[in-house]
Amino acid sequence: LFRSVAHADSDADDRGQSNRLSVRSKCLITVGQGVEGIWIVIGGYYLNKYFLETCCMDPTAVGVIQLSVGCFDAFNDPLVGMLSDRTRTRWGRRRPWLFFGGPCLAVSYVVLWNALPVDTAEHFKFVYYLLSYMGVSVGLTSVAVQISALVPELTNDYNERTVAGAFRVLGGNTIGLVFAVLHSVLAGDGSQPDQLRLSAGICAACMWLFSWITCFGIQERFKPSTDKDDRPAGFWSEMCLALGNKAFRCVTIIYLCGATAVTLAQANLALWCKYVLKDEGF
C-alpha cells in the first residue's frame, strides 16, 4: 500500500524540481499538523476543566498529573525523535511513525475523555487518567515529530521551507480552532459525559484520518548515508551536543519565558472566566 501510493505521488516534486514543493505536498503537511492543532486547542482549554468538574478530581491530583506528563514529555519527545531518525524501512523513516502514531493517539484520546463514574476511587482515577494522558502524549509525539521533520527533509530551499512552515503552522492552528468550536458545540458545558464521549470519538477519528492522509499521501526523500563511519551519536551525546549550542539554549529560555506562560494561561482560562468573571457559559 505504501509503495503504490509512493508511485502515485509522482507530481511536480519528483520531476526534476527537487527543491520545490507542490501545493499538494504543503497541504498534506498542513493536514498532518492539524492533528497536533486539535489537541493543543481542545486539550489546552478544556482538559483542566474536565478533570476538575466532570471527573471531580482533587486539584492536587490534577496538578500532579499535569506535572508528571510534562516531565514525561521532556524525555518522550527527544526519544521518539531519535528513534525516528534511526528508523529504516522501505516506506521511509517518518511514515511508519505516522501510520502507527495515529491509531495510538486516537485510542488514548477516547480513553482520556471517557469520564469514570464520580464515585470511583480517587487513586484509581488518578492512575487511569495519568496513563491515558501519557498515551495521548506518545501518540501525539509520534505524529507531530514526523510532521516537523518532514519539512526540511522534503526540500533544501530556504524559501520553500519557510512557505511550507507557514502552511503548517497557520493551517494546523486553523484546524485546531475549527475542532475547538465543534467540541464546544457537541460537549456543551462538559457536564454530560456522553456528550464528551461523542466529541472525543469524532475528534479522535479525524486525528487518526489526518495522520494517515499524510502518511499515505506524502513521499519521503530521505536517502540513508552509505558511509559506514556516518553513525548516529548516542542519546546522551546528542543531548549534550544540543545543550552545548548557545542558540539552542537561547531558544529554550525564550520558550520557557513565553510559551510556558501562554500555556498556563490557556489551561486556566475557562476556569477563570467561570469562577472569577462569573460567566456560567463556561
Side-chain angles (χ1 to χ4, degrees):
L1 181 57
F2 281 107
R3 185 182 298 175
S4 62
V5 175
H7 285 301
D9 191 32
S10 299
D11 57 3
D13 286 349
D14 304 301
R15 292 197 290 265
Q17 299 182 20
S18 59
N19 287 328
R20 296 296 302 273
L21 285 177
S22 65
V23 174
R24 176 176 180 272
S25 295
K26 294 170 185 174
C27 290
L28 286 169
I29 293 172
T30 299
V31 170
Q33 182 65 28
V35 175
E36 185 179 11
I38 293 172
W39 168 253
I40 286 178
V41 179
I42 295 179
Y45 281 111
Y46 298 106
L47 190 61
N48 269 355
K49 185 174 183 291
Y50 165 73
F51 281 150
L52 294 170
E53 297 187 345
T54 306
C55 304
C56 298
M57 293 188 67
D58 181 76
T60 302
V62 175
V64 173
I65 288 177
Q66 294 284 16
L67 178 61
S68 299
V69 174
C71 294
F72 176 73
D73 279 342
F75 293 94
N76 174 49
D77 292 4
L79 179 61
V80 169
M82 182 189 70
L83 294 175
S84 174
D85 287 343
R86 297 184 178 188
T87 299
R88 298 291 185 271
T89 72
R90 62 187 181 187
W91 307 297
R93 57 178 181 172
R94 309 299 181 192
R95 293 165 70 200
W97 286 87
L98 291 171
F99 182 80
F100 292 106
C104 174
L105 172 59
V107 172
S108 299
Y109 186 87
V110 170
V111 173
L112 178 63
W113 291 95
N114 176 47
L116 297 176
V118 177
D119 57 354
T120 304
E122 190 70 24
H123 66 275
F124 184 82
K125 287 195 292 186
F126 177 84
V127 174
Y128 175 87
Y129 292 119
L130 176 62
L131 293 180
S132 58
Y133 198 172
M134 286 183 171
V136 170
S137 174
V138 172
L140 183 66
T141 300
S142 298
V143 174
V145 167
Q146 318 315 317
I147 299 300
S148 299
L150 277 171
V151 174
E153 290 182 356
L154 289 174
T155 178
N156 294 323
D157 186 87
Y158 177 82
N159 291 328
E160 283 295 305
R161 289 180 177 180
T162 302
V163 174
F167 264 79
R168 181 173 67 88
V169 174
L170 294 177
N173 289 338
T174 301
I175 292 173
L177 289 173
V178 170
F179 276 84
V181 173
L182 177 65
H183 173 84
S184 65
V185 171
L186 294 176
D189 60 359
S191 61
Q192 300 298 322
D194 288 340
Q195 293 178 328
L196 287 168
R197 294 187 186 102
L198 174 61
S199 173
I202 294 175
C203 291
C206 290
M207 288 191 287
W208 186 338
L209 177 64
F210 290 171
S211 64
W212 275 19
I213 287 175
T214 304
C215 172
F216 293 128
I218 208 74
Q219 183 178 8
E220 291 191 50
R221 295 178 177 177
F222 174 74
K223 296 180 180 180
S225 174
T226 57
D227 188 352
K228 295 182 179 180
D229 295 329
D230 187 15
R231 299 175 181 176
F235 176 76
W236 293 111
S237 298
E238 292 182 352
M239 290 296 294
C240 291
L241 182 64
L243 294 174
N245 185 284
K246 182 178 179 181
F248 178 82
R249 294 198 302 270
C250 291
V251 171
T252 301
I253 293 173
I254 293 173
Y255 181 85
L256 290 174
C257 296
T260 301
V262 173
T263 301
L264 290 173
Q266 178 191 25
N268 296 285
L269 182 60
L271 296 171
W272 183 76
C273 290
K274 182 173 182 177
Y275 293 104
V276 177
L277 298 183
K278 306 299 182 181
D279 188 343
E280 293 300 324
F282 287 85

